[in-house]
Each structure stands twice: as structure tokens, then as C-alpha cells.
Amino acid sequence: MLWQRGRRSSNVEDRRGRRMGGKAAGGIGGIGLVIAVGYFFLSGDPSMLIRQIAGGGGFGGQQQQSAPTELTEQEKQLTDFVSVVLADTEDVWKGIFQANGLSYKEPVLVLYTDQTPTACGTGQAAAGPFYCPGDQKLYLDLNFLGEMKRMGATGDFALAYVIAHEVGHHVQTLVGTSSKVRQMQARSSQIESNQIQVRMELQADCFAGIWAHHAQRQRQILEEGDIEEGIRAAAAVGDDHLQRMAGRRVVPEAFTHGSSQQRMDWLKRGLSTGDVQACNAFG
Ligand SMILES: [Zn+2]
């Protein structure tokens, strides 16, 4: 990607070098409701994110400042890259919202290490990147890039796709899709609920494609091979692929993000059309 000249976002919150201390954040409120908040992929236990439904809000854990760790050159460059991609999604979505008579509220992207408090409970790096509708923040532990590589997703555009997918969940929150989906899921069986979740994830993939479509048209950021990197990443995080990688049988009823083929198709749909209407995964 030709990103170096891009604008840097002012919405990156860097929490690296901070460790959670005090009361374990897992203990918030006592009563928790487990929700999936649009994990990019789920390689661990879904109960890692626990939304507080009782009590007066606030974070369960306290942040303690440990000695700031010096970032390596590679980490600095990654941080820079993330902030350019985020800024680019801001520009694209601001334009699309404006064209539809709406105003876009920019999300914050939190960089952290290992675990961090969120309005959705404790964010754990093992769950992969995720978006929390409660505080409208994207959470990213850049160490997950190693995990992505292991799954066959490499290259800068693969990371850009991940960020743009989580921004897609933010868009769903702003336009009210997320809350409608949660209401539908509350009335559904587990299998139906999973199917609804898959549609939500595929739409976020399509929205990621929309970002890339407009970024390319307006700023020519793509280089040869970038699209393929994104498509490969989408295939790598398909539920069937993840189940196989985990040594399990492929169980479509348990899908929460869509198969490799579906994820590739919806990313391509956004990429080729650049049209939000084409991303109606619920229709
Ligand atoms: Zn997602």
C-alpha cells in the first residue's frame, strides 16, 4: 500500500506499556451477559468479553502506569500505518454519511497489550481485534499479526482490512443495525442467532471493501497484490478455515463470521461496487 503520505488520525489511543492492576476486571458487577462484539476472529473463549449489565458502569479494572516501554522501529511504523488507515476510513465514511444527510462520529482506536478494560468488559488480546459498541472504540493488540501470519494472512493490506472491518462494526452501530441485530438475537435460538451474527460480520466485510474502493478512487493507495492480500486474509479468517486449523470438524451451525468463500465474496462486493446498498446482508 502507498500509505506513507496519508493523513494521521488523532483518534489513536495508545495504552501499550500499561498493565491492568487492582481488582481483576473479570469481576465487574458480578452479573455479566456474554456477548460477541464482532471479533475479527475468535481463537479463544467467548466469555472473555463480558458486558456489564448491572451496576453503575465504569471500568472494572484500574490501569496502572508501568514504566513506558520503548517502541521498536517496526512497532513505530506499525503505529503510524494504523493511524493512516484509521484516518482514511474517517475520510471515506464521513463522505458517505454526508452524502446521505448523516454525520459520522469518528471512533477511537485503542492499541494495547495483553488485556485492557473496555465498556464491554475486559478486552483480551487472545480474542483478536474487536469493536465495543458501548464505548465506540476499536481494540487492537498488534501482536495478533503473528497469529494472522500463522493463518496465512500477510501484508499491509491484510491489516488494513482488519481495521476497516472493525470500523464497519462502528458504522453498523451508528446507523442502528447493531442494536436491531441484538434485539433479533435476543428472541432467537442459538442457531438462528449465529446466522444473524454471520450476516452482521459479512456486512462488516463488505463495508471494509467499500472503504478500500473509495480510498483507491480518491487517493490511489493500492499497489499490485494488495487486493489479493485482502482476499487471502478474508479467506484465512473464515469459520470453516478456523475450525479446521483448530483441528475440529467443520460445523456450519456454529459459524459466527461466515465461511472463507462468503467472507471473500462480501469483501469483493464492497470493493467492486463501493455502494452501501450492495452490502445489505440482511435482505
Ligand atoms: Zn467482526
Side-chain angles (χ1 to χ4, degrees), residues 37-41 129-131 162 165-166 168-169 172 197 200-202 204-205 256-257 263:
V37 202
Y39 298 108
F40 190 70
F41 50 79
F130 64 96
Y131 171 76
V162 170
H165 170 99
E166 299 306 336
H169 287 310
Q172 290 172 325
Q197 187 65 35
M200 178 114 166
E201 294 300 331
L202 295 177
D205 283 338
T256 53
H257 286 71
R263 297 199 74 167

